Every structure is written in structure tokens, then in C-alpha cells.
Amino acid sequence: MNKSKPKGADVLFFPPYLLWSSLLISMILEMFIVPLSIFEGGIIQFTIGLLITGLALVNFFYTYVTFSNNHEEIHPKTVTTQIFTGGTYKYSRNPIYLSFVMILLGCGIAFNSLWYIYLSAVNVLLLHYGIILPEEKYLEKEFGKDYLDYKKS
């Protein structure tokens, strides 16, 4: 008898760990190894970076509330019972991962550090290959034509 629990996407890691480790690594590299400035710096640059980070956080929490209100778990390894197509999902199939990259970019601009920008590029690759592709494979298997139609829209 098979007693295995149903599971979600076969992702390589939990995405928030990637964000937190990237923020920490960027900060350590900037403060203790080699500072890499983008521009001259200043209040306008800092404000723009904070705005980008703030918008990313709003996007993240709005999407998180969407999951919560629909009784879905946010962890990609959990079973998905529905496809979200409205709200932030109308503009991106991965609004939470977009938020993570925006947070890194915003911090890079606000703190005038190329390390955050470099690690945001690394995050895009790791999220795409380690999370998004396995999730899409799972969702295509789970929802078939409905998910494929959503991907086309």
C-alpha cells in the first residue's frame, strides 16, 4: 500500500531562503569585502530604491493575502488546488518571485551597491531553473489545458 502524501512541485529550494541569503551576502560583500558603488549616491537615489523595495513588499503581501484568503499554502512543495489568474497574477505568473528580485534591485539602488544588483541576476537564474520550471511542469500536469491557456494569456 502506498502511503505517500500528495506533494506539489519538485522544487530545489524554498524561495525565501534565496532572498534572505542574497540580502545577507550582498550586505557582507558591500560592508566587509569590496564596496561596489553604482552612482554617486544621494537622497533621490535612496528614495527611488526605497520606493522600488516598498512596491515589491506591497506586491508580495497582496499576493500572500490572495493565497491565504483562498486557503492555499504559499510553499511551492505543497499541493495546489487552484490557479490564480486575477490580481497580481494577471500581470505575472510569478508575482512573489518578481517581488523578491525587485527587493534586491531596490536595495541595490537605495544602498548604492552593485552586489545586490549582481545577486538579483543570480536570483533570476536560480528562481527560473530551480523553482519556476519545476512549478510550471507540476501545474501543467495538475491542471492541463487550463494552465496552458493561462500561460498563453
Side-chain angles (χ1 to χ4, degrees):
M1 169 164 63
N2 186 1
K3 291 186 177 185
S4 65
K5 295 188 320 187
K7 63 178 195 165
D10 191 22
V11 298
L12 297 180
F13 52 87
F14 186 46
Y17 296 160
L18 178 63
L19 172 65
W20 293 115
S21 61
S22 296
L23 288 168
L24 183 63
I25 290 167
S26 296
M27 182 184 69
I28 290 169
L29 288 169
E30 182 66 30
M31 293 175 70
F32 301 112
I33 310 298
V34 178
L36 294 178
S37 297
I38 304 171
F39 305 110
E40 292 292 314
I43 191 70
I44 293 173
Q45 179 183 335
F46 182 73
T47 304
I48 290 169
L50 282 183
L51 284 171
I52 292 170
T53 303
L55 289 171
L57 290 170
V58 167
N59 185 50
F60 170 80
F61 284 112
Y62 178 84
T63 306
Y64 179 81
V65 168
T66 300
F67 271 80
S68 183
N69 288 344
N70 288 282
H71 309 290
E72 286 285 336
E73 292 292 326
I74 202 162
H75 198 297
K77 287 194 173 199
T78 59
V79 174
T80 302
T81 61
Q82 58 192 310
I83 301 171
F84 299 121
T85 58
T88 54
Y89 284 91
K90 190 185 297 184
Y91 306 102
S92 171
R93 288 196 313 266
N94 302 288
I96 291 176
Y97 308 145
L98 176 61
S99 294
F100 290 172
V101 173
M102 286 174 57
I103 288 169
L104 284 167
L105 291 172
C107 286
I109 293 168
F111 302 140
N112 197 28
S113 172
L114 276 173
W115 289 116
Y116 293 89
I117 308 299
Y118 291 151
L119 281 171
S120 70
V122 171
N123 271 247
V124 167
L125 293 172
L126 291 173
L127 286 168
H128 181 73
Y129 291 104
I131 303 294
I132 294 170
L133 291 180
E135 275 186 347
E136 289 190 342
K137 182 178 172 186
Y138 166 76
L139 293 170
E140 286 174 14
K141 187 180 103 187
E142 199 69 21
F143 297 101
K145 184 178 179 335
D146 288 339
Y147 184 69
L148 292 172
D149 289 344
Y150 168 62
K151 280 177 67 171
K152 289 179 189 173
S153 65

